[in-house]
Amino acid sequence: METQVIQATEYRNVSLALLNESKTNPRRTFEETALKELADSIRTQGVLSPLLVRPLTEKGFEIIAGARRYRAAQMAETPTVPVRIVNLSDAEALEAQLVENLVRSEIHPMEEAQGFRALLDLEEPKYSIEQIGARVGKSQAFVAARLKLTDLVPSSVDAFYADDIGVGHALLLAKLPADQQEDALKACFKEVYNGASKPARILLPVRNLQFWIDSNILLVLKDAPFNKRDAQLVPAAGSCADCPKRTGHNKLLFGDDLGRHGDRCTDPNCYQAKVSAHVATAIAAKPELVQISTAYGGQKEGSPVLPRNKYTAIRDDKPKSTDEAKRPEFKVCKFTTEAIITEGSDVGTIHKVCANLTCPVHHPQQKPGRDEQRWKADQEKQRKEQAIANTTGLHVLAAIGSAVPVRLLKRDLLFILERLVTVMEENRIETLARQHGIRQKRDDGGIKKAFAAYLHRADEGTLSRALVESGILLAATRGNPSAVLKEAATTYKVDAEAIAVKVKQEFAAKEKAKKTPLPVNKKTAKKAA
């Protein structure tokens, strides 16, 4: 914008008709009540602080700072206001607007962000984040965080201006790619039914949104199965080392996060594209790789991927006991080969497996001939031992659940539980539901929906118990179930050995009852004769 040349600062009273609001003023929202209060003050005392203006080429002045006072003076119907006239370039005017608004009255963080962005985008003079921070008296991290807010999608910006979300929520959303922000915005809220026709929408704390993002979007790069420096794996994405979507790429924004979690990817779609490309490349390079699935359920006919029941994964860790060393998954046979997971969890990782169903080590078959009865007896013994072990585990789990104290609020417990249940396998959910007396499908939604409804009705104590139980069940899927349960029992001072003895006694009593003949009713016996 062109301005008249004025050699020195000048103070004077000018008519409101000669003043024009600046199009670059970062302030866009004006609170009506505060304006009315300021107007009342102007009626009695006048405008005490001059407006900062610069002359226009045409008649009049552009307001650099003082838009609130200008609007309040209009409401007060004051004919003139005091001004301070200065000759400023566009860059100097923009900088003055930012500094003036920050000093005089807190502006909306989104307006502040857009002002910082306008300064950064100037061609002349050039500003850096460090220079902007120095001019407005803020840290570089603060300026970087405000600038990131300009990456919010329109729906997030609208929610922010409407005070539906806070600045903490907005910053977490802004750190995500645009295509992830819509789902993350929904995760900011929870619908609660309180008897009204429509559910009430409640804003959840920032920590809840962070938990949702950690669970559903952010991926730890050190666990990635692909080469993170390979720029040709997915040419359109390039190398992870140079990717701006990597948290380590912007330490001003993700400094604290890097210390807790390490470098993480904020774009799950790009991450999955690289995983898929890695799998395709690995199979093309080694066609003999066996493709396996870690998911439950059968495979489609003709699929090259082996389901869980068609292979035995060989564990890399060493057995911790003699009994554990006898288990098939700790043994290597002549059929052991490399396999790549192409479905389920941990896709793209390489493992050793035995996929030969005739292998006597990993897939023992029924022994023929005279050893058949002994083999059947061994199988029955193993079945009983497994049943006793399962029942003992359930009893220990119940005892641990009973020992869990009430700590968190119900909303916190329910929120965490709902997220844990979404990542639990169906059989684990059924086990957890049985622990709380839910043993059958109650509607079309199945056991998961029935259990979710149960959790919404439960008190804090029950939710605390379910939270610990679900944590144990999830840990058991990744490690040694017995060890996990034993560690939990120790933590909650549960006598697992006493429970095991009691369960064995109950099973023995049931076996004895089966072998004892039922008493014969004499009248029934005569009629039968």
Side-chain angles (χ1 to χ4, degrees):
M1 179 179 295
E2 295 183 1
T3 60
Q4 300 173 12
V5 176
I6 290 183
Q7 299 300 325
T9 298
E10 178 184 349
Y11 290 89
R12 72 165 81 155
N13 286 334
V14 300
S15 170
L16 289 180
L18 295 177
L19 298 178
N20 300 278
E21 290 199 51
S22 172
K23 295 179 180 179
T24 59
N25 185 3
R27 181 182 291 278
R28 289 289 180 266
T29 57
F30 297 85
E31 210 277 314
E32 191 68 20
T33 303
L35 276 179
K36 290 180 179 178
E37 291 175 353
L38 183 55
D40 291 339
S41 174
I42 290 173
R43 288 189 186 98
T44 58
Q45 302 181 37
V47 178
L48 300 179
S49 180
L51 283 67
L52 180 65
V53 301
R54 65 172 177 168
L56 298 176
T57 303
E58 299 176 355
K59 184 180 179 182
F61 301 89
E62 178 189 9
I63 301 172
I64 303 302
R68 288 181 70 252
R69 282 165 280 162
Y70 168 71
R71 292 193 178 199
Q74 286 181 316
M75 294 175 67
E77 299 180 347
T78 301
T80 62
V81 292
V83 299
R84 175 189 170 206
I85 306 170
V86 293
N87 188 31
L88 298 173
S89 66
D90 290 346
E92 291 170 336
L94 181 58
E95 182 180 293
Q97 286 169 338
L98 278 171
V99 174
E100 182 76 8
N101 276 297
L102 284 170
V103 170
R104 289 189 177 276
S105 180
E106 183 181 353
I107 63 175
H108 194 281
M110 197 69 224
E111 296 171 341
E112 192 176 23
Q114 290 163 344
F116 288 159
R117 176 60 64 189
L119 275 177
L120 203 63
D121 291 343
L122 284 175
E123 293 184 0
E124 185 64 34
K126 281 290 185 182
Y127 284 87
S128 65
I129 291 178
E130 183 179 6
Q131 289 171 329
I132 294 174
R135 294 298 295 164
V136 299
K138 301 290 183 180
S139 68
Q140 293 183 55
F142 177 89
V143 176
R146 284 293 188 266
L147 285 168
K148 193 64 182 172
L149 291 177
T150 61
D151 291 335
L152 286 171
V153 298
S155 57
S156 298
V157 173
D158 292 342
F160 194 16
Y161 270 127
D163 288 332
D164 291 341
I165 59 174
V167 65
H169 300 88
L171 183 55
L172 287 180
L173 295 174
K175 291 179 181 180
L176 303 176
D179 59 347
Q180 303 293 332
Q181 287 189 35
E182 292 290 350
D183 289 338
L185 179 60
K186 295 176 184 176
C188 292
F189 306 96
K190 178 181 179 181
E191 291 187 344
V192 177
Y193 290 87
N194 52 11
S197 57
K198 292 184 178 180
R201 193 172 73 157
I202 296 176
L203 178 64
L204 296 170
V206 174
R207 67 175 182 273
N208 291 42
L209 177 59
Q210 182 67 70
F211 179 82
W212 185 91
I213 292 172
D214 289 343
S215 304
N216 295 276
I217 294 180
L218 298 184
L219 297 155
V220 180
L221 280 171
K222 70 180 180 62
D223 296 335
F226 52 82
N227 181 0
K228 295 176 284 296
R229 295 188 175 276
D230 186 355
Q232 299 305 313
L233 184 61
V234 178
S239 166
C240 294
D242 304 320
C243 182
K245 297 176 184 178
R246 175 175 58 85
T247 58
H249 189 272
N250 196 334
K251 294 182 180 180
L252 283 177
L253 282 176
F254 297 97
D256 294 339
D257 182 80
L258 289 171
R260 294 193 300 269
H261 305 286
D263 210 353
R264 295 195 289 177
C265 173
T266 64
D267 190 345
N269 293 331
C270 180
Y271 185 96
Q272 294 306 324
K274 289 195 173 187
V275 170
S276 299
H278 164 72
V279 170
T281 303
I283 294 174
K286 296 180 70 175
E288 68 276 11
L289 270 178
V290 177
Q291 298 181 47
I292 60 174
S293 171
T294 55
Y296 286 92
Q299 299 299 118
K300 293 182 180 179
E301 188 175 350
S303 172
V305 184
L306 295 181
R308 295 172 65 105
N309 62 342
K310 296 296 184 182
Y311 68 89
T312 299
I314 312 301
R315 292 178 58 166
D316 295 327
D317 55 322
K318 295 182 180 180
K320 298 178 182 178
S321 64
T322 305
D323 290 338
E324 201 173 65
K326 296 177 182 179
R327 291 165 56 180
E329 58 265 35
F330 285 100
K331 297 178 180 179
V332 176
C333 67
K334 62 180 181 179
F335 303 110
T336 299
T337 186
E338 283 190 331
I340 185 169
I341 299 176
T342 56
E343 291 181 9
S345 58
D346 300 324
V347 172
T349 56
I350 304 295
H351 301 269
K352 291 180 180 179
V353 301
C354 172
N356 191 317
L357 298 180
T358 64
C359 173
V361 177
H362 298 105
H363 304 278
Q365 302 295 320
Q366 181 173 327
K367 297 182 179 180
R370 59 186 180 182
D371 293 334
E372 185 174 348
Q373 291 184 346
R374 187 192 305 171
W375 182 84
K376 285 184 177 181
D378 289 342
Q379 291 294 307
E380 180 63 19
K381 181 181 177 182
Q382 291 179 17
R383 186 193 66 76
K384 290 180 180 178
E385 290 176 350
Q386 187 61 48
I388 291 174
N390 290 342
T391 304
T392 301
L394 291 174
H395 285 224
V396 172
L397 186 62
I400 292 170
S402 299
V404 175
V406 177
R407 287 285 188 269
L408 298 175
L409 296 176
K410 181 175 180 178
R411 68 176 186 191
D412 302 319
L413 295 165
L414 186 58
F415 175 80
I416 298 172
L417 269 170
E418 287 175 339
R419 271 55 189 180
L420 288 178
V421 169
T422 60
V423 299
M424 290 178 69
E425 297 167 351
E426 188 75 20
N427 63 330
R428 296 293 183 184
I429 296 175
E430 291 178 0
T431 299
L432 188 59
R434 285 200 303 271
Q435 290 293 99
H436 293 265
I438 303 172
R439 299 182 178 275
Q440 60 184 3
K441 296 180 179 180
R442 297 183 177 180
D443 51 35
D444 295 337
I447 193 70
K448 183 179 288 188
K449 186 174 181 180
F451 186 59
Y454 167 78
L455 292 178
H456 277 271
R457 298 191 303 270
D459 57 21
E460 286 88 343
T462 302
L463 291 174
S464 297
R465 169 184 171 180
L467 179 60
V468 173
E469 291 169 341
S470 59
I472 293 170
L473 291 173
L474 276 173
T477 61
R478 296 289 183 176
N480 184 342
S482 300
V484 172
L485 201 59
K486 183 177 180 181
E487 183 179 351
T490 302
T491 301
Y492 287 95
K493 296 180 174 56
V494 170
D495 192 343
E497 293 183 1
I499 293 175
V501 171
K502 185 177 179 180
V503 171
K504 287 180 180 179
Q505 291 173 348
E506 292 174 354
F507 269 74
K510 289 179 181 178
E511 288 293 323
K512 184 177 179 180
K514 287 181 181 179
K515 295 177 182 179
T516 304
L518 295 173
V520 179
N521 188 303
K522 293 182 179 180
K523 292 182 179 179
T524 304
K526 287 181 180 179
K527 288 182 180 179

